């Protein structure tokens, strides 16, 4: 792992410790107090967080609070347009990242990856160590190991396509992965799932960065308003976390709901996006457009 990668992993670890402190009654800690609890000088803590998320620790702190999900539902809720005819290919923009996606056919999915060659590699990300998998058509898997551990994350992803041939080749994936985590340039997704899952994942792609929706809204968007439980399962089975933004799906109550790679990662993603989008309103407007 290079120096830049180690620094980014370190940043996530510090943020994870900050979440624990804030949850333990430290919501009102000053910058100086929070930095001291992290065994850092205020200046170092300020620089680290500003480098990681682009805003000051004090502003970021408000997005880590447990009530942030309810505030998002109140202020940044997205109603998805209901549609029975969701296409199987498309494109969109996440910040400065142009994202293309293509879905595997139901017949190909039923073969559980038989005849499919999947490349994989470990990369650093804003949310710790990440496992990226991809085919010749694009990224098909993105898992975060900070909470689960590397071996369980790998086993989880391989089990989704048990008949596929897996080849370690980070060089083949590096341009796609670097664009994905920097959210700049262009990357492609190869969506491998059942037809209902793909509809749900495409609906997730319509939630702008910094905004959230609910499981019931997703069910309405795919034309199956009563299938909220099935939609929740499909959200949980999303193999391309972060880029297919299942972290933006919340319960109506404002509870975070589950997250396959650990709730601290989900909270970090929501806080990261909200802080960045508030700091870049023009970018946020493009995402919502």
């Amino acid at each position: 792992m290079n120096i830049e990668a180690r620094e980014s992993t370190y940043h996530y670890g510090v943020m994870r410790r900050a979440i624990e402190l804030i949850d333990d009654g430290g919501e009102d800690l000053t910058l100086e107090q929070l930095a001291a609890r992290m065994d850092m000088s205020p200046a170092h803590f300020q620089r680290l967080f500003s480098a990681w998320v682009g805003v000051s620790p004090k502003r970021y702190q408000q997005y880590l609070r447990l009530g942030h999900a309810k505030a998002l539902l109140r202020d940044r809720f997205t109603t998805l347009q209901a549609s029975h005819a969701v296409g199987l290919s498309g494109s969109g923009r996440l910040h400065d990242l142009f994202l293309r996606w293509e879905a595997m056919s139901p017949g190909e999915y039923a073969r559980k990856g038989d005849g499919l060659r999947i490349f994989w590699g470990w990369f650093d990300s804003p949310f710790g160590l990440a496992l990226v998998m991809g085919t010749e058509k694009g990224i098909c898997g993105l898992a975060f190991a900070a909470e689960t551990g590397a071996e369980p994350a790998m086993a989880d992803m391989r089990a989704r396509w048990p008949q596929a041939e897996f080849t370690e080749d980070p060089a083949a994936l590096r341009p796609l992965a670097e664009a994905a985590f920097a959210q700049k340039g262009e990357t492609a997704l190869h969506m491998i799932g059942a037809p209902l899952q793909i509809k749900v994942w495409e609906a997730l792609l319509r939630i702008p960065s910094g905004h959230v929706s609910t499981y019931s809204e997703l069910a309405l968007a795919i034309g199956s308003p009563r299938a909220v439980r099935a939609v929740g399962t499909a959200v949980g089975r999303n193999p391309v976390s972060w880029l297919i933004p299942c972290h933006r799906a919340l319960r109506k109550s404002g509870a975070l709901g589950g997250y396959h790679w650990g709730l601290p990662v989900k909270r970090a993603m929501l806080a990261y996006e909200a802080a960045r989008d508030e700091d870049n309103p023009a970018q946020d407007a493009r995402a919502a457009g």
Side-chain angles (χ1 to χ4, degrees), residues 161-230:
W161 313 292
Q163 303 303 317
E165 174 190 350
F166 291 88
T167 302
E168 184 177 9
D169 192 350
L173 296 166
R174 189 171 303 280
L176 296 176
E178 289 181 348
F181 294 132
Q183 293 199 317
K184 292 181 180 179
E186 180 176 331
T187 196
L189 300 182
H190 190 190
M191 296 158 68
I192 304 176
L196 175 66
Q197 291 175 329
I198 289 172
K199 286 185 177 182
V200 172
W201 301 340
E202 289 190 320
L204 285 168
L205 285 164
R206 300 205 299 271
I207 305 174
S209 176
H211 292 69
V212 295
S213 196
T214 62
Y215 297 103
S216 56
E217 277 292 325
L218 289 167
L220 183 64
I222 67 168
S224 301
R226 296 184 179 181
V228 176
R229 181 168 295 182

Side-chain angles (χ1 to χ4, degrees), residues 5-161:
R6 286 198 300 270
E7 285 181 350
S8 186
T9 296
Y10 172 65
H11 289 181
Y12 175 77
V14 171
M15 183 278 307
R16 178 68 175 88
R17 288 168 58 203
I19 287 179
E20 293 176 347
L21 286 174
I22 292 167
D23 287 353
D24 197 33
E27 288 190 0
D28 298 320
L29 289 175
T30 66
L31 170 63
E32 290 74 16
Q33 291 170 328
L34 190 57
R37 297 281 292 275
M38 305 292 282
D39 296 319
M40 297 180 185
S41 70
H44 177 58
F45 189 50
Q46 178 98 4
R47 283 196 303 270
L48 188 152
F49 265 84
S50 295
W52 185 72
V53 76
V55 298
S56 69
K58 187 62 179 178
R59 182 185 295 183
Y60 185 70
Q61 187 176 358
Q62 67 181 304
Y63 295 115
L64 289 176
R65 296 179 177 178
L66 287 170
H68 178 52
K70 290 184 178 180
L72 282 173
L73 279 177
R74 183 187 67 237
D75 302 329
R76 302 176 75 83
F77 172 72
T78 294
T79 300
L80 301 173
Q81 183 178 1
S83 173
H84 291 269
V86 179
L88 293 182
S89 63
S91 62
R93 182 175 292 277
L94 299 172
H95 285 288
D96 291 322
L97 176 70
F98 181 72
L99 185 65
R100 295 178 289 108
W101 61 87
E102 180 179 342
M104 177 173 279
S105 72
E108 290 173 315
Y109 171 70
R111 293 197 290 270
K112 300 182 179 180
D114 186 28
L116 191 66
R117 188 178 184 190
I118 295 178
F119 307 99
W120 63 270
W122 289 100
F123 296 87
D124 198 68
S125 81
F127 311 104
L129 190 63
L131 173 63
V132 180
M133 291 186 169
T135 70
E136 60 182 11
K137 295 182 178 180
I139 294 173
C140 67
L142 205 170
F144 294 94
E147 304 296 326
T148 65
E151 288 186 11
M154 173 65 81
D156 183 303
M157 297 305 292
R158 290 177 71 107
R160 295 169 187 248
W161 313 292

